[in-house]
Amino acid sequence: MEQLSEASLQQGIKQREKGESEYRLVWKHLSRNRTAVLGMIVIASFILLAVFAPLLATHDPISTDLGNALQGPSSDHYFGTDELGRDLFSRMLFGARISLNIGLISVGIGLLFGIPLGALSGYYAGKLDLVIQRIIDIMIAFPGILLAIVVVTVLGVGVQNVMIATGIASIPIYARLVRGSVLSVKKQGYITAAKAGGMRDSRIVFFHILPNCIGPIIVQSTFQVATAILWAAGLGFLGLGAQPPTPEWGAILSRGRGYMRVAAYLTTIPGVAIFLMVLGFNLVGDGLRDALDPRSRNY
Amino acid sequence: MSGYILRRILLTIPVLFGVSLIIFVIIRLLPGDPAVAIAGVHASQEYIEQVRQDMQLDEALHIQYGTFMSNLLRGDLGRSTFSRRPVTVELGERFPRTVELTVIALFIASVLGISAGVIAAVKRYSIFDNASMLFSLFGVAAPVFWLALMLQLLFSVHLGWLPAAGRGTWMHYILPSVTLGAASTGLIARITRSSMIEVLKQDYINTARAKGVMEKSVIYHHALKNALIPVVTILGLQFGILLGGAVLTETVFAWPGIGRLLVDSLLARDYPVVQGAVLLLASVFVFINLFVDILYAFLDPRISYSQESE
């Protein structure tokens, strides 16, 4: 332990001399990690495709053209057409928007409720902690996608409700994570000093404790975007998520199932897209975890 | 340790209570008349009234909850609005099908995952290491329903080797269990690898090697035993997650398990069955977690019970 703190002290001094901030170091480490860079390129490409979807789309993603149904990929329809003659390429572009939105908003909801719950639970301990922990235990009792299914049962189907459902399902994950980080940070000397100085609890939590828990939260959020995208696609596939004619990837895949023998591209393409997007976030998550962990950095 | 175990067992009581409360609330939060939701939209007026009386839906909420709990404890989960059979009978038929699928999937995932993880750790940075880690990434990122469809397309439609759906011969088990276990295989391989690498760095491994213990024995007898502790925890949790994941796999392979029952019932608005299936899956998961925690305490006596007493 002593060796480690000595090493990190030396490293900190070197860092100061070079004028490098912690963020710069993390970025430096991340940009040297080839798989993480690959992940970032994948995510950036999907973001660009999603943002410029209206410009890149060759057709209206929703308007049907029955005369052109189930046409294979061609120069007019890059990814072919579905059973209603809709252009799959254009539907995939707009689908990227939906999936990214679901991933980000779901994580936003998880953070918005999970962080305060975890911080309160870890900081105040005692009875409040006991109550919050039991609520979290109850939420965790519904494994994986099941909690999202329960929420969708009550709220009904649709993209918006999928965001809420996947968001709620991620609250316990953040609450647990933040509680753990707060428990370890709050024993540090500077927190005791801040308390002794008469600083308000809310100020201590927001300005002194949470900034020190940010690393694990960022890593978890990256993985959680991937999980939310997978859950949302799963719900869409089951018919419990986005409803027709919304071009959500899971829903497109589900409809394509009926035409697997004649038009395999209707299931292959959305599947590959979901896979790549989820893979991208997972690779970046792995890279961030390494970059934020001083022990795994090589200087 | 017995104090810890007792504490851990007692803590499941409020959780199960909370789960039952959530199940109770679901039906009451649905838009419209809960009596209609439970009896089914096509039910006769008399049946709806009978349901309303049976469940005391005109009474105050705490009385309704009392009735709900006493029915629950007697094993009465109501009747399916679709088949009109008791929900417990439906669940009793379907649940074992899901358990057998999950057990086989987890078995495949542990055998493949642990072996791949050990080899990857021992032959670090080799081609095998890279390949198995690539495969594990694939398993984690590929949507399970898509993997299911692609395997169906390849092995049933194109090659014609395996049946595409249903349950009958042992051949029917292969595709669903491989699909269901794919994500877990990747996860188990990754965790085994990193845990094994950690353990192989320990002093006692060096000591064993210095004593002249054969490398094989070092790996299998000295290192693997300790490296598997985190893996065992993951296995337990994976079992529960696979039960939930069966919802998707069973739908693709038309497997007559509880996952497909849940989805079918949701789409048909058969709420008593939805209630029962969710309750069953969540309770099983709670007990699995309990079991894993207790097992963990036995496997690793260093586990700080102070964590709980904090």
Side-chain angles (χ1 to χ4, degrees):
Chain A
M1 193 63 211
E2 205 143 274
Q3 270 180 331
L4 187 75
S5 58
E6 179 65 23
S8 60
L9 190 68
Q10 287 300 328
Q11 175 200 315
I13 293 168
K14 248 198 270 171
Q15 197 179 317
R16 271 301 272 274
E17 282 169 354
K18 279 205 237 162
E20 282 181 328
S21 72
E22 179 70 16
Y23 291 109
R24 248 189 100 79
L25 275 176
V26 169
W27 172 249
K28 209 164 126 186
H29 191 82
L30 197 63
S31 57
R32 281 184 195 158
N33 181 337
R34 273 186 293 174
T35 50
V37 170
L38 182 71
M40 285 191 280
I41 293 173
V42 171
I43 296 174
S45 317
F46 275 119
I47 291 176
L48 287 176
L49 291 173
V51 169
F52 295 108
L55 295 176
L56 296 169
T58 50
H59 296 74
D60 182 328
I62 290 172
S63 74
T64 57
D65 175 10
L66 288 173
N68 258 325
L70 298 175
Q71 299 293 312
S74 64
S75 59
D76 190 30
H77 298 284
Y78 302 138
F79 290 168
T81 61
D82 68 4
E83 77 285 3
L84 297 175
R86 293 175 295 198
D87 179 58
L88 185 59
F89 178 70
S90 309
R91 288 177 71 71
M92 291 303 296
L93 286 175
F94 281 92
R97 282 187 161 194
I98 296 173
S99 285
L100 284 171
N101 266 327
I102 291 176
L104 295 177
I105 292 175
S106 146
V107 163
I109 294 173
L111 290 170
L112 192 68
F113 293 94
I115 292 182
L117 275 178
L120 281 175
S121 181
Y123 190 74
Y124 288 110
K127 276 186 188 149
L128 185 68
D129 180 35
L130 208 66
V131 172
I132 294 178
Q133 283 312 302
R134 293 297 80 76
I135 295 174
I136 300 301
D137 279 348
I138 293 165
M139 293 176 86
I140 286 177
F142 299 90
I145 199 173
L146 197 63
L147 186 57
I149 290 180
V150 169
V151 177
V152 166
T153 310
V154 176
L155 297 179
V157 293
V159 173
Q160 241 177 10
N161 292 341
V162 167
M163 291 173 182
I164 300 173
T166 51
I168 292 178
S170 69
I171 293 174
I173 300 167
Y174 288 110
R176 282 245 157 131
L177 180 78
V178 172
R179 176 178 180 265
S181 309
V182 170
L183 279 179
S184 69
V185 173
K186 81 169 181 184
K187 287 182 196 137
Q188 307 274 328
Y190 68 92
I191 300 297
T192 320
K195 272 188 194 163
M199 196 179 271
R200 275 203 320 270
D201 282 350
S202 57
R203 219 180 138 72
I204 295 179
V205 171
F206 280 103
F207 293 97
H208 295 277
I209 293 184
L210 283 180
N212 283 298
C213 313
I214 207 89
I217 293 176
I218 292 175
V219 172
Q220 187 59 47
S221 299
T222 317
F223 287 123
Q224 203 53 41
V225 172
T227 309
I229 291 170
L230 270 183
W231 283 346
L235 289 172
F237 180 79
L238 292 174
L240 302 171
Q243 296 298 300
T246 314
E248 194 270 331
W249 290 348
I252 296 177
L253 212 159
S254 172
R255 291 190 69 92
R257 247 184 102 184
Y259 307 93
M260 247 171 42
R261 279 165 202 267
V262 286
Y265 58 88
L266 284 177
T267 43
T268 317
I269 294 174
V272 170
I274 301 169
F275 168 69
L276 285 177
M277 196 184 263
V278 172
L279 183 72
F281 281 102
N282 275 328
L283 290 179
V284 174
D286 278 341
L288 274 172
R289 184 168 45 198
D290 287 349
L292 286 165
D293 177 6
R295 280 177 306 171
S296 71
R297 283 187 207 150
N298 298 314
Y299 291 94
Chain B
M1 188 187 281
S2 58
Y4 164 78
I5 292 174
L6 187 69
R7 221 185 120 85
R8 188 62 192 74
I9 291 173
L10 287 178
L11 279 177
T12 54
I13 295 172
V15 174
L16 288 173
F17 178 75
V19 168
S20 76
L21 199 63
I22 287 183
I23 309 291
F24 170 77
V25 167
I26 290 178
I27 298 282
R28 272 101 193 147
L29 282 181
L30 292 170
D33 184 352
V36 177
I38 293 160
V41 265
H42 303 297
S44 64
Q45 199 56 42
E46 293 98 65
Y47 185 66
I48 294 175
E49 282 313 313
Q50 193 197 325
V51 165
R52 201 190 305 279
Q53 275 191 353
D54 285 353
M55 297 185 65
Q56 300 185 303
L57 290 171
D58 287 331
E59 299 287 337
L61 274 179
H62 64 279
I63 295 176
Q64 286 186 36
Y65 183 65
T67 317
F68 171 79
M69 277 310 276
S70 77
N71 284 343
L72 189 66
L73 291 175
R74 278 187 284 117
D76 178 7
L77 289 167
R79 278 170 185 278
S80 157
T81 62
F82 196 64
S83 67
R84 294 269 184 254
R85 297 194 310 159
V87 172
T88 38
V89 174
E90 297 262 357
L91 297 178
E93 275 174 18
R94 301 293 199 101
F95 190 55
R97 307 276 168 270
T98 301
V99 172
E100 62 183 22
L101 190 62
T102 311
V103 168
I104 297 172
L106 197 63
F107 177 74
I108 296 176
S110 342
V111 171
L112 290 179
I114 293 176
S115 347
V118 169
I119 301 175
V122 173
K123 303 213 182 287
R124 219 173 150 188
Y125 303 124
S126 66
I127 293 178
F128 184 85
D129 183 16
N130 290 331
S132 62
M133 286 309 110
L134 202 72
F135 173 79
S136 80
L137 264 178
F138 178 83
V140 174
V144 62
F145 46 91
W146 175 64
L147 187 64
L149 289 175
M150 292 299 112
L151 290 177
Q152 243 178 12
L153 194 65
L154 179 64
F155 290 102
S156 312
V157 178
H158 288 309
L159 297 173
W161 291 352
L162 295 167
R167 178 178 169 276
T169 63
W170 62 272
M171 304 259 277
H172 284 90
Y173 286 81
I174 299 177
L175 288 183
S177 49
V178 167
T179 313
L180 186 60
S184 306
T185 310
L187 196 73
I188 293 169
R190 285 176 75 160
I191 288 168
T192 309
R193 178 179 180 270
S194 61
S195 162
M196 194 73 184
I197 289 174
E198 234 12 77
V199 170
L200 285 172
K201 280 185 206 155
Q202 303 287 317
D203 287 340
Y204 77 94
I205 296 292
N206 282 336
T207 311
R209 281 185 179 142
K211 277 196 312 188
V213 178
M214 286 209 309
E215 188 63 19
K216 238 187 200 166
S217 171
V218 169
I219 289 165
Y220 293 103
H221 292 249
H222 297 244
L224 189 59
K225 248 190 208 165
N226 281 322
L228 281 184
I229 291 175
V231 180
V232 169
T233 322
I234 287 296
L235 282 184
L237 293 179
Q238 282 300 306
F239 187 75
I241 290 169
L242 287 183
L243 282 177
V247 172
L248 287 160
T249 316
E250 289 180 359
T251 303
V252 179
F253 291 107
W255 190 265
I258 200 165
R260 190 162 153 243
L261 178 70
L262 174 61
V263 175
D264 288 347
S265 312
L266 260 175
L267 294 173
R269 294 179 194 280
D270 190 346
Y271 290 114
V273 177
V274 172
Q275 231 183 9
V278 171
L279 183 71
L280 181 62
L281 286 173
S283 315
V284 170
F285 194 50
V286 169
F287 283 112
I288 291 172
N289 282 343
L290 173 67
F291 176 73
V292 171
D293 277 358
I294 293 174
L295 187 68
Y296 200 54
F298 274 110
L299 284 177
D300 191 349
R302 285 171 308 176
I303 287 189
S304 52
Y305 313 114
S306 57
Q307 197 190 335
E308 285 289 317
S309 60
E310 222 174 275

